[in-house]
Amino acid sequence: MAKKQKKLLVVLCIALACMAALAYFLSHRSATQNNTPTPVTDILTDSISQIVSACPGEIGVAIIINNTDTVTVNNKSIYPMMSVFKVHQALALCNDFDNKGLSLDTLIKINRNELNPNTWSPMMKDHPESEILLTVKDLLRYTLAQSDNNASNLLFNDMVDVPRTDSFIATLIPRADFKIAYTEEEMAADHNKAYSNYTSPLGAAILMNRLFTDRLVSDEKQDFIKKTLSECKTGTDRISAPLLDKKGVVIAHKTGSGFVNENSVLAAHNDVAYICLPNNVSYTLSVFVKDFKGNESQASECISHISKSVYSILTQNL
């Protein structure tokens, strides 16, 4: 009964926040019609602030619109990245391979006995053989599209380690906005280490935005990363959820999911996306949920409501 009441409370809070956000949005539309236009950034800030204030956890949001206008809510450098850092990892590895003149088609032999059967790993399900032969591109596809932890650990341990990954990303986004200190394997052994792989919502948004609007590594490798993120199969109930039935919308994203502690608190639930609309508007949306007092489905619902609000405001005001 307590769980049902808790779930109903979360849903009610979100519904009330959405109603308040809608009322605010409509009032601003009325003001605009009276020749007193309100900047879209202000509308977004107020709408998102009302949604996140009703959710039982700390939620940070960042939006970059058409590579120019920026909106942030609760933008602190304290959010555990979880598997979002696999985008950072992919970029660092591709940069290293560019510098060494190596191809992502390089073959890697993997001993199945060295893999962790108790972690999230679609790769292990797809390859039951004792010795697995995959390209680096295959491994990156597993990490980016399916968030495979074994593939990520292999890339960190055998190719580009955590310190070098962290150092390279610091050349792309502000140092104060992120830190990568541990692998998936290390975080699984000690859940508290996840809080040391942190980011601000804006830091993550800047990196994703630059990935799609700037040249960070060789064109071939960067195009591969972008294409693979557009095929991401995880977390479709988050930012993607309200956009899946929208004609002409293209989305590429990367999720990250945390553990639930003994007090039933969800450490992290994240999504970072680059979205192209048919009205020639493109935007990066970054949503990080920390210490959420509810389950993953409820946290996803909060992210989905934020995404729906952003989409509605941008399609009607730009």
Side-chain angles (χ1 to χ4, degrees), residues 27 29 37-38 44 46 49 52 88 90-91 93 123 140 142 173 177 184 191 203 211 253 256 263 269 289 299 303:
S27 70
R29 284 195 67 187
T38 301
L44 285 166
D46 290 331
S49 295
V52 303
H88 305 56
L91 283 167
L93 185 145
M123 177 179 67
L140 284 173
Y142 273 117
I173 63 177
D177 278 322
E184 292 281 7
H191 289 167
L211 172 61
H253 71 119
N263 297 316
H269 205 66
V289 178
I303 296 174

PDB file of all heavy atoms in Angstrom, residues 27 29 37-38 44 46 49 52 88 90-91 93 123 140 142 173 177 184 191 203 211 253 256 263 269 289 299 303:
ATOM      1  N   SER A  27       0.112  31.651 -20.656  1.00  0.00           N
ATOM      2  CA  SER A  27       0.119  33.065 -20.272  1.00  0.00           C
ATOM      3  C   SER A  27       1.160  33.836 -21.061  1.00  0.00           C
ATOM      4  O   SER A  27       0.948  34.988 -21.444  1.00  0.00           O
ATOM      5  CB  SER A  27       0.374  33.208 -18.766  1.00  0.00           C
ATOM      6  OG  SER A  27       1.694  32.859 -18.437  1.00  0.00           O
ATOM      7  N   ARG A  29       2.195  32.979 -24.062  1.00  0.00           N
ATOM      8  CA  ARG A  29       1.703  33.088 -25.437  1.00  0.00           C
ATOM      9  C   ARG A  29       0.764  34.285 -25.554  1.00  0.00           C
ATOM     10  O   ARG A  29       0.790  35.042 -26.522  1.00  0.00           O
ATOM     11  CB  ARG A  29       0.964  31.817 -25.839  1.00  0.00           C
ATOM     12  CG  ARG A  29       1.869  30.650 -26.158  1.00  0.00           C
ATOM     13  CD  ARG A  29       1.105  29.559 -26.881  1.00  0.00           C
ATOM     14  NE  ARG A  29       0.700  30.021 -28.206  1.00  0.00           N
ATOM     15  CZ  ARG A  29      -0.092  29.312 -28.997  1.00  0.00           C
ATOM     16  NH1 ARG A  29      -0.605  28.167 -28.590  1.00  0.00           N
ATOM     17  NH2 ARG A  29      -0.414  29.773 -30.190  1.00  0.00           N
ATOM     18  N   PRO A  37       6.628  40.116 -26.202  1.00  0.00           N
ATOM     19  CA  PRO A  37       7.182  38.763 -26.316  1.00  0.00           C
ATOM     20  C   PRO A  37       8.143  38.431 -25.174  1.00  0.00           C
ATOM     21  O   PRO A  37       8.925  39.273 -24.738  1.00  0.00           O
ATOM     22  CB  PRO A  37       7.910  38.785 -27.660  1.00  0.00           C
ATOM     23  CG  PRO A  37       8.224  40.231 -27.894  1.00  0.00           C
ATOM     24  CD  PRO A  37       7.073  40.984 -27.303  1.00  0.00           C
ATOM     25  N   THR A  38       8.037  37.225 -24.712  1.00  0.00           N
ATOM     26  CA  THR A  38       8.946  36.715 -23.689  1.00  0.00           C
ATOM     27  C   THR A  38       9.978  35.820 -24.366  1.00  0.00           C
ATOM     28  O   THR A  38       9.614  34.971 -25.183  1.00  0.00           O
ATOM     29  CB  THR A  38       8.175  35.895 -22.641  1.00  0.00           C
ATOM     30  OG1 THR A  38       7.194  36.733 -22.042  1.00  0.00           O
ATOM     31  CG2 THR A  38       9.117  35.353 -21.577  1.00  0.00           C
ATOM     32  N   LEU A  44      11.333  28.405 -21.301  1.00  0.00           N
ATOM     33  CA  LEU A  44      11.890  27.078 -21.024  1.00  0.00           C
ATOM     34  C   LEU A  44      12.347  26.955 -19.575  1.00  0.00           C
ATOM     35  O   LEU A  44      12.060  25.964 -18.899  1.00  0.00           O
ATOM     36  CB  LEU A  44      13.068  26.802 -21.961  1.00  0.00           C
ATOM     37  CG  LEU A  44      12.719  26.460 -23.407  1.00  0.00           C
ATOM     38  CD1 LEU A  44      13.959  26.559 -24.288  1.00  0.00           C
ATOM     39  CD2 LEU A  44      12.111  25.067 -23.496  1.00  0.00           C
ATOM     40  N   ASP A  46      11.389  28.580 -16.881  1.00  0.00           N
ATOM     41  CA  ASP A  46      10.284  28.535 -15.919  1.00  0.00           C
ATOM     42  C   ASP A  46       9.506  27.223 -16.013  1.00  0.00           C
ATOM     43  O   ASP A  46       9.110  26.650 -14.994  1.00  0.00           O
ATOM     44  CB  ASP A  46       9.347  29.724 -16.149  1.00  0.00           C
ATOM     45  CG  ASP A  46       9.971  31.051 -15.744  1.00  0.00           C
ATOM     46  OD1 ASP A  46      10.823  31.041 -14.834  1.00  0.00           O
ATOM     47  OD2 ASP A  46       9.626  32.080 -16.329  1.00  0.00           O
ATOM     48  N   SER A  49      11.711  24.416 -14.532  1.00  0.00           N
ATOM     49  CA  SER A  49      11.858  24.598 -13.084  1.00  0.00           C
ATOM     50  C   SER A  49      10.634  24.094 -12.338  1.00  0.00           C
ATOM     51  O   SER A  49      10.748  23.472 -11.269  1.00  0.00           O
ATOM     52  CB  SER A  49      12.089  26.081 -12.758  1.00  0.00           C
ATOM     53  OG  SER A  49      13.306  26.538 -13.292  1.00  0.00           O
ATOM     54  N   VAL A  52      10.703  20.092 -12.459  1.00  0.00           N
ATOM     55  CA  VAL A  52      11.700  19.429 -11.613  1.00  0.00           C
ATOM     56  C   VAL A  52      11.424  19.660 -10.125  1.00  0.00           C
ATOM     57  O   VAL A  52      11.766  18.820  -9.288  1.00  0.00           O
ATOM     58  CB  VAL A  52      13.139  19.870 -11.974  1.00  0.00           C
ATOM     59  CG1 VAL A  52      13.436  19.609 -13.434  1.00  0.00           C
ATOM     60  CG2 VAL A  52      13.392  21.332 -11.635  1.00  0.00           C
ATOM     61  N   HIS A  88      32.111  10.011 -23.871  1.00  0.00           N
ATOM     62  CA  HIS A  88      33.435  10.567 -23.611  1.00  0.00           C
ATOM     63  C   HIS A  88      34.510   9.537 -23.975  1.00  0.00           C
ATOM     64  O   HIS A  88      35.529   9.867 -24.604  1.00  0.00           O
ATOM     65  CB  HIS A  88      33.578  10.940 -22.132  1.00  0.00           C
ATOM     66  CG  HIS A  88      32.517  11.865 -21.599  1.00  0.00           C
ATOM     67  ND1 HIS A  88      31.171  11.590 -21.660  1.00  0.00           N
ATOM     68  CD2 HIS A  88      32.622  13.065 -20.956  1.00  0.00           C
ATOM     69  CE1 HIS A  88      30.476  12.574 -21.107  1.00  0.00           C
ATOM     70  NE2 HIS A  88      31.337  13.476 -20.674  1.00  0.00           N
ATOM     71  N   ALA A  90      34.311   6.989 -26.076  1.00  0.00           N
ATOM     72  CA  ALA A  90      34.393   6.765 -27.515  1.00  0.00           C
ATOM     73  C   ALA A  90      35.204   7.863 -28.204  1.00  0.00           C
ATOM     74  O   ALA A  90      36.027   7.590 -29.091  1.00  0.00           O
ATOM     75  CB  ALA A  90      32.987   6.685 -28.110  1.00  0.00           C
ATOM     76  N   LEU A  91      34.974   9.108 -27.805  1.00  0.00           N
ATOM     77  CA  LEU A  91      35.706  10.217 -28.403  1.00  0.00           C
ATOM     78  C   LEU A  91      37.203  10.130 -28.092  1.00  0.00           C
ATOM     79  O   LEU A  91      38.048  10.357 -28.970  1.00  0.00           O
ATOM     80  CB  LEU A  91      35.137  11.549 -27.921  1.00  0.00           C
ATOM     81  CG  LEU A  91      33.833  11.982 -28.581  1.00  0.00           C
ATOM     82  CD1 LEU A  91      33.196  13.132 -27.810  1.00  0.00           C
ATOM     83  CD2 LEU A  91      34.071  12.381 -30.032  1.00  0.00           C
ATOM     84  N   LEU A  93      38.950   7.446 -27.368  1.00  0.00           N
ATOM     85  CA  LEU A  93      39.535   6.322 -28.096  1.00  0.00           C
ATOM     86  C   LEU A  93      39.728   6.675 -29.573  1.00  0.00           C
ATOM     87  O   LEU A  93      40.782   6.377 -30.159  1.00  0.00           O
ATOM     88  CB  LEU A  93      38.652   5.087 -27.955  1.00  0.00           C
ATOM     89  CG  LEU A  93      39.203   3.798 -28.576  1.00  0.00           C
ATOM     90  CD1 LEU A  93      38.818   2.584 -27.738  1.00  0.00           C
ATOM     91  CD2 LEU A  93      38.719   3.609 -30.006  1.00  0.00           C
ATOM     92  N   MET A 123      26.766  -8.083 -25.446  1.00  0.00           N
ATOM     93  CA  MET A 123      27.845  -8.732 -26.190  1.00  0.00           C
ATOM     94  C   MET A 123      28.003 -10.193 -25.791  1.00  0.00           C
ATOM     95  O   MET A 123      28.185 -11.070 -26.645  1.00  0.00           O
ATOM     96  CB  MET A 123      29.167  -7.979 -25.954  1.00  0.00           C
ATOM     97  CG  MET A 123      30.384  -8.603 -26.625  1.00  0.00           C
ATOM     98  SD  MET A 123      31.887  -7.654 -26.322  1.00  0.00           S
ATOM     99  CE  MET A 123      32.102  -7.898 -24.548  1.00  0.00           C
ATOM    100  N   LEU A 140      32.703  -0.510 -29.754  1.00  0.00           N
ATOM    101  CA  LEU A 140      32.126   0.819 -29.565  1.00  0.00           C
ATOM    102  C   LEU A 140      30.621   0.810 -29.826  1.00  0.00           C
ATOM    103  O   LEU A 140      29.854   1.485 -29.134  1.00  0.00           O
ATOM    104  CB  LEU A 140      32.804   1.831 -30.491  1.00  0.00           C
ATOM    105  CG  LEU A 140      34.201   2.292 -30.090  1.00  0.00           C
ATOM    106  CD1 LEU A 140      34.808   3.162 -31.177  1.00  0.00           C
ATOM    107  CD2 LEU A 140      34.174   3.041 -28.763  1.00  0.00           C
ATOM    108  N   TYR A 142      28.650  -1.646 -29.251  1.00  0.00           N
ATOM    109  CA  TYR A 142      28.039  -2.234 -28.055  1.00  0.00           C
ATOM    110  C   TYR A 142      27.967  -1.212 -26.914  1.00  0.00           C
ATOM    111  O   TYR A 142      26.972  -1.147 -26.189  1.00  0.00           O
ATOM    112  CB  TYR A 142      28.820  -3.466 -27.602  1.00  0.00           C
ATOM    113  CG  TYR A 142      28.383  -4.752 -28.263  1.00  0.00           C
ATOM    114  CD1 TYR A 142      29.258  -5.474 -29.078  1.00  0.00           C
ATOM    115  CD2 TYR A 142      27.095  -5.255 -28.073  1.00  0.00           C
ATOM    116  CE1 TYR A 142      28.858  -6.660 -29.696  1.00  0.00           C
ATOM    117  CE2 TYR A 142      26.686  -6.435 -28.681  1.00  0.00           C
ATOM    118  CZ  TYR A 142      27.571  -7.131 -29.488  1.00  0.00           C
ATOM    119  OH  TYR A 142      27.166  -8.298 -30.099  1.00  0.00           O
ATOM    120  N   ILE A 173      35.671  20.296 -23.193  1.00  0.00           N
ATOM    121  CA  ILE A 173      34.699  20.985 -22.348  1.00  0.00           C
ATOM    122  C   ILE A 173      35.403  21.465 -21.086  1.00  0.00           C
ATOM    123  O   ILE A 173      36.478  20.965 -20.742  1.00  0.00           O
ATOM    124  CB  ILE A 173      33.500  20.073 -21.986  1.00  0.00           C
ATOM    125  CG1 ILE A 173      33.954  18.863 -21.167  1.00  0.00           C
ATOM    126  CG2 ILE A 173      32.777  19.621 -23.248  1.00  0.00           C
ATOM    127  CD1 ILE A 173      32.793  17.965 -20.723  1.00  0.00           C
ATOM    128  N   ASP A 177      33.508  21.149 -15.190  1.00  0.00           N
ATOM    129  CA  ASP A 177      32.187  20.597 -15.462  1.00  0.00           C
ATOM    130  C   ASP A 177      32.113  19.075 -15.412  1.00  0.00           C
ATOM    131  O   ASP A 177      31.021  18.510 -15.532  1.00  0.00           O
ATOM    132  CB  ASP A 177      31.700  21.052 -16.839  1.00  0.00           C
ATOM    133  CG  ASP A 177      31.084  22.441 -16.800  1.00  0.00           C
ATOM    134  OD1 ASP A 177      30.405  22.742 -15.811  1.00  0.00           O
ATOM    135  OD2 ASP A 177      31.284  23.218 -17.747  1.00  0.00           O
ATOM    136  N   GLU A 184      33.431   1.101 -15.333  1.00  0.00           N
ATOM    137  CA  GLU A 184      32.194   0.417 -14.936  1.00  0.00           C
ATOM    138  C   GLU A 184      32.500  -0.692 -13.934  1.00  0.00           C
ATOM    139  O   GLU A 184      31.750  -0.903 -12.963  1.00  0.00           O
ATOM    140  CB  GLU A 184      31.490  -0.172 -16.163  1.00  0.00           C
ATOM    141  CG  GLU A 184      30.909   0.843 -17.127  1.00  0.00           C
ATOM    142  CD  GLU A 184      29.584   1.402 -16.637  1.00  0.00           C
ATOM    143  OE1 GLU A 184      29.189   1.101 -15.498  1.00  0.00           O
ATOM    144  OE2 GLU A 184      28.948   2.150 -17.412  1.00  0.00           O
ATOM    145  N   HIS A 191      29.712   1.024  -5.298  1.00  0.00           N
ATOM    146  CA  HIS A 191      28.724   1.913  -5.887  1.00  0.00           C
ATOM    147  C   HIS A 191      28.984   3.390  -5.592  1.00  0.00           C
ATOM    148  O   HIS A 191      28.623   4.259  -6.397  1.00  0.00           O
ATOM    149  CB  HIS A 191      27.324   1.533  -5.403  1.00  0.00           C
ATOM    150  CG  HIS A 191      26.832   0.250  -5.987  1.00  0.00           C
ATOM    151  ND1 HIS A 191      25.727  -0.415  -5.489  1.00  0.00           N
ATOM    152  CD2 HIS A 191      27.274  -0.491  -7.034  1.00  0.00           C
ATOM    153  CE1 HIS A 191      25.519  -1.512  -6.204  1.00  0.00           C
ATOM    154  NE2 HIS A 191      26.440  -1.575  -7.141  1.00  0.00           N
ATOM    155  N   GLY A 203      27.873  20.642 -18.952  1.00  0.00           N
ATOM    156  CA  GLY A 203      29.092  20.011 -19.448  1.00  0.00           C
ATOM    157  C   GLY A 203      28.783  18.886 -20.412  1.00  0.00           C
ATOM    158  O   GLY A 203      29.389  18.761 -21.489  1.00  0.00           O
ATOM    159  N   LEU A 211      29.865  17.382 -30.518  1.00  0.00           N
ATOM    160  CA  LEU A 211      29.956  16.161 -31.315  1.00  0.00           C
ATOM    161  C   LEU A 211      29.163  16.295 -32.612  1.00  0.00           C
ATOM    162  O   LEU A 211      29.585  15.798 -33.661  1.00  0.00           O
ATOM    163  CB  LEU A 211      29.425  14.977 -30.490  1.00  0.00           C
ATOM    164  CG  LEU A 211      29.266  13.630 -31.202  1.00  0.00           C
ATOM    165  CD1 LEU A 211      30.610  13.132 -31.735  1.00  0.00           C
ATOM    166  CD2 LEU A 211      28.649  12.606 -30.250  1.00  0.00           C
ATOM    167  N   HIS A 253      21.035   9.827 -28.859  1.00  0.00           N
ATOM    168  CA  HIS A 253      21.154  10.050 -27.419  1.00  0.00           C
ATOM    169  C   HIS A 253      21.983   8.957 -26.742  1.00  0.00           C
ATOM    170  O   HIS A 253      22.285   7.929 -27.325  1.00  0.00           O
ATOM    171  CB  HIS A 253      19.771  10.132 -26.778  1.00  0.00           C
ATOM    172  CG  HIS A 253      19.046   8.818 -26.717  1.00  0.00           C
ATOM    173  ND1 HIS A 253      18.661   8.223 -25.531  1.00  0.00           N
ATOM    174  CD2 HIS A 253      18.627   7.973 -27.684  1.00  0.00           C
ATOM    175  CE1 HIS A 253      18.031   7.087 -25.789  1.00  0.00           C
ATOM    176  NE2 HIS A 253      17.988   6.918 -27.084  1.00  0.00           N
ATOM    177  N   GLY A 256      22.301   6.866 -19.059  1.00  0.00           N
ATOM    178  CA  GLY A 256      23.100   6.356 -17.946  1.00  0.00           C
ATOM    179  C   GLY A 256      22.161   6.026 -16.801  1.00  0.00           C
ATOM    180  O   GLY A 256      21.254   6.815 -16.504  1.00  0.00           O
ATOM    181  N   ASN A 263      18.100   2.265   0.972  1.00  0.00           N
ATOM    182  CA  ASN A 263      16.959   3.104   1.337  1.00  0.00           C
ATOM    183  C   ASN A 263      16.005   3.333   0.171  1.00  0.00           C
ATOM    184  O   ASN A 263      15.167   4.238   0.206  1.00  0.00           O
ATOM    185  CB  ASN A 263      17.462   4.451   1.864  1.00  0.00           C
ATOM    186  CG  ASN A 263      18.283   4.301   3.134  1.00  0.00           C
ATOM    187  OD1 ASN A 263      17.916   3.554   4.036  1.00  0.00           O
ATOM    188  ND2 ASN A 263      19.415   4.999   3.192  1.00  0.00           N
ATOM    189  N   HIS A 269      19.822   8.633 -12.957  1.00  0.00           N
ATOM    190  CA  HIS A 269      18.987   8.221 -14.090  1.00  0.00           C
ATOM    191  C   HIS A 269      19.096   9.353 -15.108  1.00  0.00           C
ATOM    192  O   HIS A 269      18.532  10.433 -14.887  1.00  0.00           O
ATOM    193  CB  HIS A 269      17.543   8.021 -13.632  1.00  0.00           C
ATOM    194  CG  HIS A 269      16.762   7.085 -14.486  1.00  0.00           C
ATOM    195  ND1 HIS A 269      17.047   5.742 -14.589  1.00  0.00           N
ATOM    196  CD2 HIS A 269      15.683   7.291 -15.306  1.00  0.00           C
ATOM    197  CE1 HIS A 269      16.172   5.153 -15.405  1.00  0.00           C
ATOM    198  NE2 HIS A 269      15.350   6.077 -15.857  1.00  0.00           N
ATOM    199  N   VAL A 289      19.322  13.008 -13.311  1.00  0.00           N
ATOM    200  CA  VAL A 289      18.533  12.794 -12.093  1.00  0.00           C
ATOM    201  C   VAL A 289      19.448  12.169 -11.038  1.00  0.00           C
ATOM    202  O   VAL A 289      20.114  11.167 -11.300  1.00  0.00           O
ATOM    203  CB  VAL A 289      17.338  11.866 -12.363  1.00  0.00           C
ATOM    204  CG1 VAL A 289      16.555  11.620 -11.080  1.00  0.00           C
ATOM    205  CG2 VAL A 289      16.441  12.450 -13.443  1.00  0.00           C
ATOM    206  N   ALA A 299      11.389   7.915 -12.551  1.00  0.00           N
ATOM    207  CA  ALA A 299      12.432   8.860 -12.944  1.00  0.00           C
ATOM    208  C   ALA A 299      12.386   9.107 -14.448  1.00  0.00           C
ATOM    209  O   ALA A 299      12.541  10.246 -14.909  1.00  0.00           O
ATOM    210  CB  ALA A 299      13.801   8.318 -12.535  1.00  0.00           C
ATOM    211  N   ILE A 303      11.864  12.695 -16.750  1.00  0.00           N
ATOM    212  CA  ILE A 303      12.684  13.089 -17.899  1.00  0.00           C
ATOM    213  C   ILE A 303      11.814  13.268 -19.130  1.00  0.00           C
ATOM    214  O   ILE A 303      11.971  14.222 -19.902  1.00  0.00           O
ATOM    215  CB  ILE A 303      13.790  12.044 -18.152  1.00  0.00           C
ATOM    216  CG1 ILE A 303      14.754  11.979 -16.968  1.00  0.00           C
ATOM    217  CG2 ILE A 303      14.554  12.369 -19.436  1.00  0.00           C
ATOM    218  CD1 ILE A 303      15.801  10.879 -17.062  1.00  0.00           C
TER     219      ILE A 303
END
